[in-house]
Amino acid sequence: MELPGFAVAVWMFVCLCASVGGYPNGNVREACTSMVPCHGGSPQRSPEHTITVNRTEFKPGDSIEVHLSGPDFEGFFIQARDAEHLDSPAVGSFVLADRRRSQLLTCGRTKNSAVSHTNKAKKKDVKVYWIAPGDAPKHVQFLATVVKKYRIFWVKIPGPIVSQTDVLSPTPPLHATSEAMATSYPVSYISKPFSASGCGSMKFCIRNPSNCDPGSASCFFLSFQQEASSVFIEMSGPSEGYLAFALSHDQWMGGDDAYLCVNEDHRVHVSTAHLKERSYPLLDLENVLKDVSWRLADGILQCSFRRSIRLPAYKGRFNLDTSYYIFLADGEASEGGLIYKHRRQPLVTNGLYNITGLPQDIGGSRSPRLIKAHGALMFVAWITTVSIGVIVARFFKPVWSHSFLFGKELWFQVHRMLMLTTVMLTSISFVLPFVYRGGWSQQAGFHPYLGCAVMALTIFQPLMAGFRPSRHAPRRQLFNWFHWSTGTTARILAVVTMFLGMDLPALDLPDPWDTYTMIGFVAWHVGTDVLLEIHSYCLVRKVEVIEEDRVQILQSLTSAEAEGRLFKQIVLTIYVCGNIVFLVAFLIAIHR
């Protein structure tokens, strides 16, 4: 009786600790509107910290350096708002100067519209960059909340006001900073998001998600429009680092013609490159692109340029009147323009396409079909057939012991059918990644090693069952123990392997949704198992009533078995329905 009280005490302690801990990691989205930290108490009146900027005028796409400085402080929260309506939502987006000390937050519908601290280490100043959006108000003011200590903080410290210029002038020429980017060319500013109008009729488009609006914060867009002997190319997507696409003769990186739009010190540099296997792209010295334009606004990177269909004088550039697989990737870049490996699988078209041929409006997949099939079959095997088969064998022997199917007890036939189905599905699924990769994958961590262990146990289990001793044989108990331990080990390893596999880029499941759903399934299975164990224990206790009359005991057994049969069948029905729900959720996530 003391355990519930102890649990409540622990729960209250955790809640109290959470309430006084504030937000040491800077994840303060709850304060987006008011900019007031949830620390309790009242803010200080006379601010000790100041906000400065490097310019007071801007036009859409411009970058303004914002500097917060003053006596030592632990936390901060910076936004830009309409100077004439300071209660309005945040305006524009920010880019970080130091990722170790600051992080980007999304307030409202505007991505990266606020900046906060990453830890409560003392700091004297913070520098970030504000990118003016295309729909910016005429006057913008910067505001900051600063936390000196937990109970000492200032809210909405007013900063300078910056205003739009009356005349929009083209962006000055971009000067490259590396030898590989030595060629500079005039660039201009894109005034608004790209449009999908004309996709499939006038231009060849690739969109992810399918049919998305290029102006939305989650749409990756790539279009090709032939104009005489050249092709005009548009590319956009949510990225603070870079966007890139490549033309390839196959669905593997290597020997490809690539085009990169890289955020280099808050300006976009457009370049061509050659991909050599899975290594850093080799940037070209020659300039083969014309009419280059770009835009950085609201967390979306846009670039456009023109390229001749044929470039016989430039080695490594593919002719655009041939069919290719098309890759579309995004990732992070350093302030100097150095790009990092993309964290997720690039979008790859499902077939070869000629971008100068018949206009089409297509999608693509970040997960290859064979890998999707691998994941789907494994989910079917280890979420449905195995789990149900184990429950049937463990708890339905007494319930279905008097029912027969093809000369064998019903529970045994159902169990055997489900387990053989598991072996078949797992075997087929096991082969698919090797077919896709053409061998062993060095990029998948421990997942393939554990997968091989699961496959070995899956094959060993039915082989061992083939040598099962008779029911009353002396070695039957030993067999039962080995059969149970092998199956349990395989199930545990399978769950661990699925957890690791769900985070691999090739499957492209939504994170962290996939992990939480898998945790939910494990809890669902364990909870059902525990419920049936408790029910079986209660039935045993119920029939162990000390009675002198043997008839009374038999009547109790008959009544208890009838009651237990109905309860177990209800639980099994609910359990199967729940497993199907989990399975459908995973299959939808894989197919998306």
Side-chain angles (χ1 to χ4, degrees), residues 434-506:
F434 292 97
V435 174
Y436 171 69
R437 289 287 181 186
W440 187 265
S441 173
Q442 302 293 338
Q443 312 292 327
F446 290 104
H447 178 77
Y449 297 97
L450 292 177
C452 289
V454 171
M455 186 70 250
L457 292 173
T458 302
I459 296 296
F460 179 70
Q461 186 76 329
L463 291 178
M464 181 173 55
F467 296 94
R468 177 178 64 252
S470 61
R471 180 169 298 179
H472 302 292
R475 291 175 297 179
R476 181 57 180 259
Q477 193 66 29
L478 183 63
F479 165 81
N480 289 341
W481 188 89
F482 271 109
H483 189 63
W484 175 87
S485 60
T486 302
T488 302
T489 303
R491 290 166 58 208
I492 293 174
L493 286 179
V495 169
V496 174
T497 306
M498 285 193 290
F499 268 113
L500 295 176
M502 290 187 303
D503 288 334
L504 292 177

Side-chain angles (χ1 to χ4, degrees), residues 19 28 86 152 164 246 320 325 399 426:
S19 65
V28 294
L86 291 179
I152 303 176
Q164 287 203 52
L320 300 185
Y325 288 98
V399 175
T426 304

Side-chain angles (χ1 to χ4, degrees), residues 58-64 92-93 130-136 189 296-298:
F58 70 89
K59 59 182 179 295
D62 278 355
S63 171
I64 296 180
S93 57
W130 179 73
I131 309 299
D135 57 350
Y189 177 74
L296 275 173
D298 300 329

Side-chain angles (χ1 to χ4, degrees), residues 405-424:
L405 181 64
F406 301 119
K408 295 285 186 179
E409 293 175 335
L410 178 60
W411 74 266
F412 177 76
Q413 294 287 47
V414 172
H415 172 74
R416 182 165 61 177
M417 179 191 67
L418 291 173
M419 291 309 176
L420 289 177
T421 302
T422 299
V423 174
M424 180 186 67

Side-chain angles (χ1 to χ4, degrees), residues 65-88:
E65 180 183 302
V66 182
H67 189 232
L68 173 66
S69 60
D72 287 349
F73 57 95
E74 295 180 352
F76 66 91
F77 189 45
I78 301 175
Q79 285 187 4
R81 296 190 178 185
D82 186 342
E84 298 177 358
H85 303 90
L86 291 179
D87 292 331
S88 60

Side-chain angles (χ1 to χ4, degrees), residues 156-183:
K156 290 185 178 180
I157 299 174
I161 297 176
V162 295
S163 304
Q164 287 203 52
T165 53
D166 294 333
V167 179
L168 293 175
S169 57
T171 306
L174 173 69
H175 300 287
T177 58
S178 65
E179 293 183 4
M181 298 180 181
T183 304

Side-chain angles (χ1 to χ4, degrees), residues 549-591:
D549 189 352
R550 182 177 179 85
V551 176
Q552 179 62 40
I553 295 177
L554 292 175
Q555 289 176 347
S556 298
L557 280 168
T558 304
S559 175
E561 287 179 357
E563 178 184 341
R565 184 181 299 110
L566 178 60
F567 178 81
K568 288 180 179 179
Q569 288 176 346
I570 292 174
V571 171
L572 179 63
T573 302
I574 296 174
Y575 177 73
V576 171
C577 292
N579 281 27
I580 293 175
V581 170
F582 280 107
L583 177 63
V584 170
F586 278 117
L587 294 181
I588 291 174
I590 291 175
H591 181 68

